[in-house]
């Protein structure tokens, strides 16, 4: 009996122990469930309602940034390229801004006719009538141009006088020799529009803005937010004193836009004491850029500008007269263009670099759009291949 009682006591003790363990487990599970429910109500007040997935807001990614250096010799069309950029992607020159350029454009008119009168005198051309000769003498004896333009009232006779001079054979003969002296590219445009430009209430048109000549001093920087890229352009002054600052302006740009003129093969550098061909001057500048070490890996896009002017001039001025090495036929636009292009290509090969070439008419808006679409796409692909920001 004692042995049976001991066995019974041990079984009862084990049973109590198992029951206690089971109760603790149940209580633990209940407590865990209570805590979970409380957490749901505290963290999610709408617990129990139908679950609606939260809409993710689209992330705003920063656009890649391109920095373009726009360089070239003086009067090749760099500033015109910048004006086209502003027309396409900027404020499009509001009326107040266009008015600000009124004196610059009037200066272009008066300076052009003054240079033609001076050239006619130098070449000893005779005017068709004493009246026209008297008008020419009046323009030749001008006071300083700045004083003339800043006079409170414009002389209403200027417009008729300029028109009479422009029609005279003496001035037209001087104009045909314009490559022998320094006359702005669009002189004929501004002289022909003198009656409109010299009106008292004159407001420059977009075409006037694109064609005007203003010397760029220092660097002009503009940034534009395009569809897929943020583009900053640095327009560097092209005259000799301004070029010193080029290499210090921007190290490691995304690309270099080198602007050169096709049509200046028969002209000399205005600011040079020596007589130097403008195309040769442009080639020397181009070679200096190619040899500058921070530009070793920078893509170069060559914009050979004024192709419209070149197509007319090549029929009048033989390329071989100024570049004896040219072996193509006289007056042939394609052969002449290819020869001038080859001068830049040969230098590029010398420095073992790649070059993209496009032919442009900087004052032609449709041509600009096509050229800039190419430039923008090329630069975008380049900087995205390099990781975005370059």
């Amino acid at each position: 009996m004692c042995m049976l009682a001991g066995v019974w006591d041990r079984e009862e003790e084990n049973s109590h122990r198992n029951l206690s363990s089971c109760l603790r487990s149940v209580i633990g599970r209940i407590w865990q469930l209570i805590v979970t429910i409380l957490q749901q109500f505290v963290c999610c007040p709408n617990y129990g309602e139908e679950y609606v997935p939260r809409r993710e807001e689209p992330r705003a990614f920063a656009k890649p940034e391109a920095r373009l250096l726009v360089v070239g010799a003086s009067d090749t069309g760099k500033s015109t390229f910048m004006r086209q950029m502003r027309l396409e992607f900027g404020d499009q020159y509001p009326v107040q801004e266009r008015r600000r350029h009124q004196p610059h454009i009037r200066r272009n008119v008066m300076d052009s006719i003054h240079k033609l009168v001076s050239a006619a005198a130098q070449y000893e051309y005779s005017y068709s009538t004493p009246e026209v000769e008297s008008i020419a003498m009046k323009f030749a004896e001008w006071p300083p141009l700045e004083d003339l333009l800043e006079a409170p009232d414009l002389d209403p006779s200027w417009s008729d006088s300029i028109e009479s001079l422009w029609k005279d054979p003496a001035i037209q003969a001087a104009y045909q020799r314009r490559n022998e002296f320094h006359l702005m590219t669009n002189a004929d445009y501004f002289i022909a529009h003198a009656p409109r430009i010299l009106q008292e209430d004159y407001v420059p048109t977009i075409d006037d803005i694109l064609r005007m000549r203003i010397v760029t001093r220092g660097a002009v920087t503009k940034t534009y937010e395009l569809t897929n890229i943020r583009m900053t352009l640095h327009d560097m002054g092209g005259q000799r004193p301004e070029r010193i600052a080029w290499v210090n302006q921007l190290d490691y740009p995304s690309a270099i836009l080198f602007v050169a003129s096709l049509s200046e093969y028969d002209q000399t550098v205005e600011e040079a004491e020596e007589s130097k061909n403008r195309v040769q001057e442009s080639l020397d500048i181009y070679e200096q850029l190619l040899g500058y070490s921070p530009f070793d890996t920078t893509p170069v896009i060559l914009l050979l500008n004024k192709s419209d002017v070149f197509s007319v001039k090549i029929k009048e001025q033989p390329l071989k007269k100024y570049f004896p090495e040219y072996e193509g036929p006289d007056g042939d636009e394609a052969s002449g263009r290819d020869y001038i292009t080859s001068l830049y290509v040969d230098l590029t090969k010398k420095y073992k670099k790649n070059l993209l070439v496009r032919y442009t008419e900087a004052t032609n808006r449709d041509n600009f759009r096509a050229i800039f679409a190419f430039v923008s796409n090329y630069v975008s692909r380049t900087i995205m291949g390099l990781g975005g920001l370059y």
Side-chain angles (χ1 to χ4, degrees), residues 217 237-245 271:
R217 303 294 185 189
Q239 292 193 318
R240 286 186 170 186
E242 304 295 330
R243 296 174 202 158
I244 300 171
E271 66 264 33

Side-chain angles (χ1 to χ4, degrees), residues 113-133:
I113 198 68
H114 185 266
K115 285 185 174 180
L116 285 167
V117 168
S118 299
Q122 179 184 346
Y123 300 137
E124 299 181 346
Y125 292 145
S126 298
Y127 292 97
S128 58
T129 67
E131 290 77 17
V132 177
E133 185 174 5

